[in-house]
Amino acid sequence: MLHTHNNILERETKREKHNISINDHNDILIEVLQRLDGRSLAAAACVCKKWCSIVRNDALWEHLCFRQLSVPPSVGVRSVVLALGGYRRLYLMCVRPVVSRLKKRRSNGGHTEVVRRLWNRNEVELSLSLFCVEYYERLLLGDGGAVGGGESAAKSLRFLCKTVNV
Amino acid sequence: MKRDYPNQNHTLFPGSSSSTPPLLPDLTGKSKMWDEFNEQDTGVDELLAVLGYKVKSSDMVDVAQKIEHLEGVLSNDDGLSQMASDSIHQNPSDLSSWLESMICELNPVVQVQLPGSGSIAGSLVGTSTSPGSAGIDDLQAIPGDAIYPPTKKQKSLSEDNGNKTYSPNPIVIIDSQENGIRLVHTLMACAEAVQQDDMKRAETLVKQAGYLAVSQAGAMRKVATYFAEALARRIYRLYPKSPQDAPAFRDLLQMHFYETCPYLKFAHFTANQAILEAFAGKKKVHVIDFSMKQGMQWPALMQALALRPGGPPTFRLTGIGPPSGDNTDHLQEVGWKLAQLADTIHVEFQYRGFLAESLSDLEPAMLELREDEVVAVNSVFEMHELLARPGAVEKVLSAVKEMKPEILTVVEQEANHNGPVFLERFTESLHYYSTLFDSLESSGGGGGGSVESGGVAAASNQDKIMSEVYLGKQICNVVACEGPDRVERHETLAQWKTRFDSAGFQPVHLGSNAYKQASMLLALFAGGDGYRVEENDGCLMLGWHTRSLITTSAWKLR
C-alpha cells in the first residue's frame, strides 16, 4: 500500500514539483484525521467539501469514540450504535459531554491529572445507555417521522451540555 | 444621629449576621433620651454597654426574645413608624424595661408574657380581645409552643445561655432573614392548630403564611406556597377529588420530573443494574413492571441486554398501569414504541399490557408465566400507594411470591409520611420537600450552565415548573387528604425492610457496578456536587447533601 503511494508521489513530484495535494490521497487524509480530537475534526469538516464528506464518515467517529479505550468494545456494539443513529451522533450527543463533564469534576476534585486520560469502559457504557434512552424518547415524541434525522437531542439529554453540531 | 450596630452583635443574634440589623437603631436614633450613659455596670453585658445599653448578662435571653417579638409585631403594622417617632419612651439604656414599655404601648390591652426558658403552652391562647380583626391581635394569640418552642430556639438564643440549639433535621431556609424563620414557624403553628382542630386559628395562620411566602424567594417560596395551599384545602375541606388527574397528565408531569433531576434516572439505572445481574446467563427473561408509565426504564436495559457477552436473551415485558379513562390504550402504544426500539437493536421482544386500577387487583394467573423463563418484578414509586388500603400490600406481595421472581426491585421515597399523627407527617414532609425543591433549584432546570441557546433555557424552565407541579401534587396529597384518598404514604427503608422480611423476602445487595454507574450519572448533572449516593446495607440511597431522598433496594425469595 505504502509503496504505491510512494510511487505515485514520486511520479507526481517529477511532474509537478510544487503540486502535492493531500486531497488526492484519501487514505492518508483519513489516517491523519483519525488522530484528531473531536473539536479538530469538526473544524476539519469546514475546510472544503471533500473534507466535509470524509469527516462525516461514521468510521472516523467510531475510531474517535473508542480509540482511547483500554479494551476495545465488543462486536455487537457497532450494529447497535449504527441502528441508534451512528457514531458521530453518539459522540456529539453523549460521549463528548459525558467525558468532559466527568473530567471537569475530577480536576475540580483536586486531582491534578490534566493529562489526557483513558476513557474507561464505564463512561462509554453510560454514554451508550443515555444514547439509547434518547433514541427511545425521539420515538415517543417524533412518532415515526424523522427518527434518525433531527440534529438536536431529545429532552432527556438536555442535562448535558448543549453541543455545537457539525 | 444614628448609631451603627456593630457587627459583633453575635451575642444577641448568633446566626443572622447577614440579615439587616433590627429596627432598634432607627427608632432609638430619633429619641432624645439617647445620650444617657449609665455607668453603673454590675454584671452588664460589655458590648451593649459600649452602645449605651445596660443589659444584665442574665437578662440577655429575655431581651433577645423581646426584641424579636417586637420586631415581629412592628413589621406587621404599617402605621407604626409614625407612632414611633412621636412617642417618648422610658430610659432606653435599660433595654429590658424599655422594650417592655414599647410592647405594652403597642398593645395596651394584651399583656404579653414572654417565656424565660419554659414554654407558654396555652397561656396566650384566648387573650386576644377583638376577635374579628386580623393582624397584631391575632398574632398575639399564637401559642408559644409553635413560635417559641422550648427545644427549638434557634438564632435568637444568646450564647452565654448555654442551651444547645436542637435541630434534628435542619429545615432548609434559603435566605437567613427573619421572615424565612417566621414563615416556617407559622406553617408549623398552623399545622398544630389543625391537629388540635382549632380551625379559626388555623385559618388566620394559613393566611399569614401566604403573605410571608410571597416575601420569600426561590425554593422556600414554592415549598411554602404548596404547603400553605394544602393546609388551606384541609382547613376549608376543599379536598382534591380523587382520582385527581388523568393518568396521561400524571405521566406527563413525571416525564418532566425525569428530565429535570436525576432521581428517576437514578432509580431506573440502579434497578436495571440489579435486574441485569439477576439475568446473567439466562436465555429467556420476563420483566413485570408495576410502574409502566412511558416505559423510560426499559430502553437502557434492552441496550445492556443487547450488548451483553453471549448476546441478548428473549425479552418479554409485561406492563401494568391504570386505565387512562379516555379510551386510548396508552399502555399498548408504549409497547409498540418499545417494540420498535427492540427491533432496531435486534432484541427479541414480546409485550403485554395490563390495565388495573390498583396493583392488588392483579392475579398471577393472568400473566401467563412460562416455566422456562426468569422473572423480575419492578416497582418504582408504586408500593407506597398500596398502604392506603389495609391488606393491599400483603396481597400484592403474596402475588409477587407466586410469580417466583428471580429478583424484585423496589424504589421508594426515603421518608416517613405515613405516621398516625398529622403534625408529625406535616413536619416530616416539610423537611423532605424543602430538600427536594432545594435540589431542583440548583439543578437549574437541567441546563448545565454552559452552552445553551435561548430555546433550551425556556424548555428547561418549563420542565422545572412542571416538576414542581408534580411534587406539589404529592404535597397536597400528603397534607390535605385522608383515608383511602391519601395515597402518598411514603415509608422509610427500615419500615419496608420489615414488611418484605415478614412477607418472606430477603435482601439482595446491589453491588459496586450499580454504585459506580449511579455516581457517574450524578456527576453529569449540574449541581452534581450536591447529590450523594450512599450505600446502606446493600441498598443504594440518593440524597441531597446530608438528606437521603430515595432508596433503591432489591429482594429475592427466601
Side-chain angles (χ1 to χ4, degrees), chain A residues 74-84 97-99 101-102 104-106 108 120-130 132-133 135-137 139-144 147 154-164, chain B residues 255-256 258-260 265 269 294-296 299-300 302-304 306-307 333-334 337-338 340-341 344-346 446-453 455-456 459-460 462-463 513 516-517 519-529:
Chain A
S74 58
V75 187
V77 174
R78 177 178 299 156
S79 60
V80 170
V81 174
L82 287 181
L84 294 177
V98 166
V99 172
R101 278 278 177 101
L102 293 179
K104 221 184 294 172
R105 294 244 171 266
R106 233 173 268 199
N108 281 346
N120 58 42
R121 163 145 246 119
N122 289 333
E123 287 165 358
V124 177
E125 274 174 9
L126 183 61
S127 309
L128 282 173
S129 299
L130 291 172
C132 195
V133 173
Y135 177 86
Y136 177 68
E137 198 162 3
L139 266 184
L140 277 183
L141 304 170
D143 223 312
V147 169
K155 288 199 331 186
S156 73
L157 289 184
R158 291 249 173 87
F159 70 99
L160 297 172
C161 289
K162 183 106 172 91
T163 54
V164 179
Chain B
M255 275 299 275
H256 286 284
Y258 179 86
E259 269 134 31
T260 320
K265 289 196 176 83
F269 275 71
Q294 298 279 59
M296 291 298 285
M302 288 203 278
Q303 177 257 314
L307 293 179
E333 284 169 23
V334 167
K337 298 283 156 78
L338 284 171
Q340 238 181 303
L341 172 68
T344 312
I345 59 176
H346 313 297
S450 306
V451 188
E452 226 187 51
S453 70
V456 177
S460 53
Q462 192 206 13
D463 277 339
N513 273 335
K516 264 190 268 175
Q517 230 192 14
S519 311
M520 257 201 301
L521 179 69
L522 292 174
L524 295 176
F525 274 83
D529 293 332

Side-chain angles (χ1 to χ4, degrees), chain B residues 405-454:
Chain B
E406 188 75 15
I407 193 165
L408 161 70
T409 48
V410 177
V411 182
E412 283 293 327
Q413 289 93 340
E414 182 65 20
N416 184 2
H417 296 158
N418 198 18
V421 181
F422 170 73
L423 187 56
E424 278 168 24
R425 291 203 302 268
F426 185 85
T427 317
E428 269 293 308
S429 54
L430 187 58
H431 287 125
Y432 182 82
Y433 285 102
S434 299
T435 315
L436 210 43
F437 269 79
D438 216 21
S439 73
L440 262 189
E441 203 71 18
S442 25
S443 290
S450 306
V451 188
E452 226 187 51
S453 70

Side-chain angles (χ1 to χ4, degrees), chain B residues 109-140:
Chain B
V109 193
V110 179
Q111 195 60 29
V112 177
Q113 310 287 336
L114 286 167
S117 53
S119 75
I120 16 176
S123 68
L124 285 185
V125 179
T127 53
S128 81
T129 48
S130 42
S133 67
I136 301 178
D137 285 354
D138 284 294
L139 256 191
Q140 296 306 312

Side-chain angles (χ1 to χ4, degrees), chain A:
Chain A
M1 231 343 211
L2 217 48
H3 277 304
T4 348
H5 284 298
N6 283 340
N7 288 340
I8 295 173
L9 268 174
E10 274 176 51
R11 264 185 267 136
E12 285 186 350
T13 33
K14 280 175 191 160
R15 277 189 224 148
E16 303 137 321
K17 270 212 167 171
H18 306 287
N19 232 345
I20 302 166
S21 168
I22 187 75
N23 275 354
D24 294 335
H25 311 289
N26 276 1
D27 12 16
I28 298 184
L29 182 55
I30 290 173
E31 279 293 319
V32 172
L33 290 176
Q34 265 181 350
R35 284 153 176 77
L36 294 179
D37 67 334
R39 197 185 161 81
S40 314
L41 260 186
C46 306
V47 168
C48 63
K49 278 196 191 150
K50 179 173 173 125
W51 282 40
C52 186
S53 68
I54 289 184
V55 168
R56 281 181 179 250
N57 184 342
D58 223 29
L60 264 179
W61 296 91
E62 176 181 1
H63 190 84
L64 176 61
C65 283
F66 295 137
R67 73 176 175 224
Q68 289 188 315
L69 279 191
S70 39
V71 180
S74 58
V75 187
V77 174
R78 177 178 299 156
S79 60
V80 170
V81 174
L82 287 181
L84 294 177
Y87 281 99
R88 195 176 102 238
R89 196 184 171 87
L90 171 66
Y91 180 79
L92 285 175
M93 297 285 153
C94 302
V95 176
R96 193 185 75 155
V98 166
V99 172
S100 77
R101 278 278 177 101
L102 293 179
K103 200 189 317 192
K104 221 184 294 172
R105 294 244 171 266
R106 233 173 268 199
S107 48
N108 281 346
H111 304 302
T112 48
E113 6 169 323
V114 193
V115 196
R116 256 170 183 240
R117 51 171 190 76
L118 291 174
W119 306 343
N120 58 42
R121 163 145 246 119
N122 289 333
E123 287 165 358
V124 177
E125 274 174 9
L126 183 61
S127 309
L128 282 173
S129 299
L130 291 172
F131 194 48
C132 195
V133 173
E134 195 257 346
Y135 177 86
Y136 177 68
E137 198 162 3
R138 277 185 291 129
L139 266 184
L140 277 183
L141 304 170
D143 223 312
V147 169
E151 284 296 332
S152 57
K155 288 199 331 186
S156 73
L157 289 184
R158 291 249 173 87
F159 70 99
L160 297 172
C161 289
K162 183 106 172 91
T163 54
V164 179
N165 288 306
V166 175

Side-chain angles (χ1 to χ4, degrees), chain B residues 383-396:
Chain B
M383 285 268 175
H384 60 259
E385 300 198 2
L386 297 169
L387 299 174
R389 283 182 294 127
V393 149
E394 287 80 12
K395 184 159 182 284
V396 170

